[in-house]
Amino acid sequence: MLLLHRAVAPGLQQAYRLKSTPARLCIRACCTNDSFQPQRSSFTFSGGNSSTRRWRVMGTLLGLGAVLACHDQQCRASQESPRRYTREEVKSHCSPETGVWVTLGSEVFDITEFVDIHPGGASKLMLAAGGPLEPFWALYAVHNQPHVREILAQYKIGELSPDDKAPSILKTSDPYMDDPIRHSALKVNTQCPFNAEPPPELLTENYITPNPIFFTRNHLPVPNVDPDTYRLNVVGPPGGQSLCLSLDDLYQFPKHEITVTLQCAGNRRSEMTQFKEVRGLEWSLGAISTARWAGARLCDVLAQAGHQLCETEAHVCFEGLDSDPTGAAYGASIPLARAMDPEAEVLLAYEMNGQPLPRDHGFPVRVVVPGVVGARHVKWLGKVSVEPEESFSHWQRRDYKGFSPSVDWDTVDFDSAPSIQELPIQSAITQPKEGEIIGSGEVTVKGYAWSGGGRAVVRVDVSLDGGLTWQVAELEGEEQRARKAWAWRLWHLQAPLPAGIKELNIVCKAVDESYNVQPDTVAPIWNLRGVLNNAWHRVHVHVAP
């Protein structure tokens, strides 16, 4: 009996534990759990006659077989429990009145209650009503993440009938198949849409970032625009006349050139994630780059269309030529006062580092707004208008905003926070890298520093001991004009190392001309979208003996 207990008890315990196991786990448990595999040692006996041994073995096998049969029946029952639906049944639930159902793979979900709270807007989600999510997740690949699947799982109501086969031919084309070829050195965060950053060791090799490794932030597929037929629609004021500008028309405006750093609001988001989970692309420290831009000043073009400053608040709204299946374009806006100010140097740019804009960076025309978050630098520009309110685009009203660390996804109110425009003071270490082994004797530390709103960087402090003591780094690159410092400063520090030291905790922090300085930790600036991270940047390295 003891031997029988040893052989069967583990199986009974495992079967009890699996009593409430979901169907999708049952097969795995049956096939891979070691408790259900006969062990040779259980059937090896040192004494007794052969008849006794045979009965003991048979009893053991029968006991184990009973457990396996019982568990197999539970698995089958669990697998049979989900309700089955046909594709026609799902298709009939395509409105708030009938309920909104969708499928993903073989699973069926009733998302009626989720439609109105969908972050991307109800209209986009309703495109999938009564059908599969796959064609839309191919376009918005950011959905294919664990937290999104967890939300969706709450609305599962059953599965598609296995007899109801999917169409043999998917009548949707890959919206990203015409995207341009990218440089292999880029660190890719998402492929569709394409989002990537240069590795730290390349980021600060040059003051001007080469076009092929300039960080790329796309929200939708890259449009392939014919420069010969391209037209920019600039809506005139009430009673005025709108402009329809070709590239040649834009070339007739005075050409203006400026060096501008672009930074994504999510730069260094990965460090916020380490403190507490956020939602967004896992940018490291490379969602920032600098280029020499050339084009027509926006104030000149708006003036040509008849616009002028007004006493009431107004905004210049931009629409790109990249759009989703509803026809909604990527959009953003900036205050009219900034757009009309010649000193703000806002551009309708058509050149990047002396060349026509690359496709990933807005060919043929994009907006460049010096000192402002990258989300407002709309690419593939198709329309400009002056409105009494800021852009109604999702990316202006429901994204790129900062919140208190106490706000979560159950309590967030996007209308309560202003859209990000100017960014705070920022700096990061690009050399040495985290975990690197450096030689003894002397260390060279390099990095970048930048502040929004044209505020010049006046100092970068570097610590080799986690912030206990500090040294001032040497600033490199172009001299900056007060209040018009649109580009970063590169910096470096060469410092001797004390004998016998085994590791360094390197920290950097920058100070701008308004004496804004970076916070020491992520905790007080953490927010659910992981934007605006400008905490001290830290790198831990080892020193070779």
Side-chain angles (χ1 to χ4, degrees):
M1 289 299 295
L2 179 61
L3 293 171
L4 181 62
H5 173 77
R6 287 175 178 172
V8 175
L12 287 170
Q13 294 168 359
Q14 183 70 12
Y16 178 78
R17 287 195 296 268
L18 291 172
K19 185 176 181 180
S20 60
T21 302
R24 61 180 177 273
L25 298 181
C26 286
I27 296 175
R28 180 178 180 273
C30 289
C31 297
T32 64
N33 194 291
D34 291 340
S35 299
F36 294 109
Q37 303 302 319
Q39 303 295 317
R40 290 185 179 275
S41 58
S42 300
F43 307 126
T44 303
F45 306 94
S46 56
N49 57 46
S50 60
S51 177
T52 301
R53 289 198 297 271
R54 284 195 297 271
W55 280 109
R56 287 177 176 173
V57 171
M58 187 176 296
T60 301
L61 290 173
L62 288 172
L64 180 60
V67 173
L68 289 171
C70 177
H71 180 254
D72 183 59
Q73 184 178 4
Q74 291 174 348
C75 283
R76 286 198 302 271
S78 178
Q79 291 169 349
E80 292 169 0
S81 61
R83 184 169 175 179
R84 306 290 184 177
Y85 299 96
T86 65
R87 296 182 189 275
E88 282 299 315
E89 287 180 285
V90 174
K91 187 177 180 179
S92 68
H93 291 79
C94 58
S95 69
E97 292 73 29
T98 61
V100 180
W101 292 10
V102 294
T103 65
L104 186 65
S106 62
E107 297 178 300
V108 180
F109 306 89
D110 181 349
I111 59 169
T112 309
E113 296 179 358
F114 182 70
V115 170
D116 288 336
I117 59 174
H118 179 233
S123 63
K124 292 183 176 62
L125 191 54
M126 286 300 294
L127 288 172
L133 288 171
E134 281 88 347
F136 303 95
W137 281 27
L139 183 64
Y140 298 102
V142 69
H143 286 78
N144 198 14
Q145 297 186 46
H147 75 267
V148 179
R149 288 183 173 272
E150 288 173 10
I151 294 172
L152 186 62
Q154 300 173 33
Y155 298 94
K156 181 174 178 179
I157 57 172
E159 296 186 357
L160 288 169
S161 170
D163 298 327
D164 190 359
K165 302 297 183 183
S168 58
I169 300 176
L170 186 62
K171 297 181 180 180
T172 56
S173 59
D174 180 1
Y176 295 94
M177 65 185 302
D178 194 35
D179 271 17
I181 298 173
R182 281 88 180 207
H183 196 284
S184 60
L186 290 171
K187 174 189 172 186
V188 179
N189 287 321
T190 61
Q191 191 70 48
C192 301
F194 188 77
N195 291 285
E197 59 188 296
E201 57 268 31
L202 295 183
L203 184 58
T204 53
E205 279 293 298
N206 300 283
Y207 178 72
I208 298 295
T209 310
N211 290 355
I213 62 168
F214 198 100
F215 93 95
T216 300
R217 176 66 175 110
N218 292 338
H219 297 84
L220 296 161
V222 176
N224 198 350
V225 183
D226 183 348
D228 294 330
T229 59
Y230 169 78
R231 296 295 183 269
L232 173 61
N233 180 23
V234 183
V235 180
Q241 186 174 359
S242 298
L243 304 179
C244 185
L245 303 174
S246 66
L247 274 178
D248 286 337
D249 294 330
L250 278 174
Y251 297 155
Q252 304 309 309
F253 287 89
K255 185 177 182 179
H256 192 69
E257 294 189 48
I258 45 172
T259 303
V260 176
T261 293
L262 269 61
Q263 180 180 209
C264 180
N267 192 31
R268 299 178 57 199
R269 179 181 281 126
S270 58
E271 297 166 46
M272 274 199 175
T273 301
Q274 292 171 12
F275 173 74
K276 183 180 176 182
E277 185 179 2
V278 299
R279 295 182 185 176
L281 298 175
E282 285 291 299
W283 293 111
S284 181
L285 56 86
I288 183 171
S289 299
T290 299
R292 184 74 176 171
W293 309 91
R297 292 190 304 180
L298 177 59
C299 62
D300 294 339
V301 175
L302 290 176
Q304 181 73 27
H307 289 288
Q308 55 186 348
L309 283 175
C310 53
E311 295 181 359
T312 58
E313 183 182 15
H315 303 262
V316 179
C317 298
F318 308 112
E319 288 186 9
L321 295 173
D322 49 336
S323 60
D324 64 19
T326 68
Y330 180 86
S333 61
I334 62 174
L336 176 63
R338 182 185 292 274
M340 293 296 294
D341 184 0
E343 295 299 306
E345 302 185 274
V346 183
L347 288 187
L348 302 181
Y350 44 76
E351 286 185 4
M352 178 180 181
N353 294 331
Q355 300 175 353
L357 295 175
R359 281 186 62 204
D360 259 331
H361 300 290
F363 180 82
V365 177
R366 74 173 298 165
V367 184
V368 173
V369 191
V372 167
V373 64
R376 313 302 167 216
H377 299 234
V378 175
K379 298 187 282 189
W380 313 291
L381 187 63
K383 181 181 177 181
V384 179
S385 63
V386 177
E387 309 291 346
E389 295 186 57
E390 67 177 355
S391 170
F392 282 93
S393 166
H394 164 81
W395 292 278
Q396 185 83 20
R397 299 286 183 119
R398 293 292 179 268
D399 203 351
Y400 297 118
K401 294 185 176 185
F403 296 92
S404 166
S406 64
V407 174
D408 59 29
W409 288 101
D410 294 324
T411 60
V412 64
D413 177 10
F414 276 95
D415 292 328
S416 68
S419 302
I420 298 170
Q421 292 285 341
E422 297 179 0
L423 288 171
I425 181 69
Q426 174 73 278
S427 70
I429 299 163
T430 58
Q431 179 186 328
K433 294 189 297 183
E434 174 67 27
E436 187 174 331
I437 299 175
I438 63 173
S440 58
E442 188 177 68
V443 62
T444 298
V445 185
K446 294 182 178 181
Y448 64 78
W450 182 79
S451 190
R455 292 178 291 273
V457 174
V458 298
R459 193 178 78 239
V460 174
D461 299 325
V462 180
S463 174
L464 303 182
D465 52 17
L468 297 178
T469 61
W470 297 90
Q471 303 178 59
V472 178
E474 182 176 341
L475 300 179
E476 306 171 0
E478 294 180 3
E479 291 297 322
Q480 297 187 323
R481 298 170 294 168
R483 303 294 173 178
K484 294 186 69 173
W486 308 131
W488 62 13
R489 294 301 297 267
L490 304 185
W491 55 265
H492 73 274
L493 173 76
Q494 287 183 302
L497 299 179
I501 194 168
K502 296 182 179 179
E503 61 182 24
L504 299 176
N505 290 309
I506 309 175
V507 181
C508 73
K509 61 182 176 70
V511 182
D512 69 20
E513 63 180 291
S514 297
Y515 284 97
N516 296 310
V517 67
Q518 298 171 247
D520 59 344
T521 65
V522 164
I525 59 173
W526 182 92
N527 58 87
L528 75 175
R529 276 291 281 116
V531 294
L532 305 171
N533 180 19
N534 70 328
W536 294 358
H537 188 227
R538 304 167 186 268
V539 171
H540 179 261
V541 299
H542 304 279
V543 181

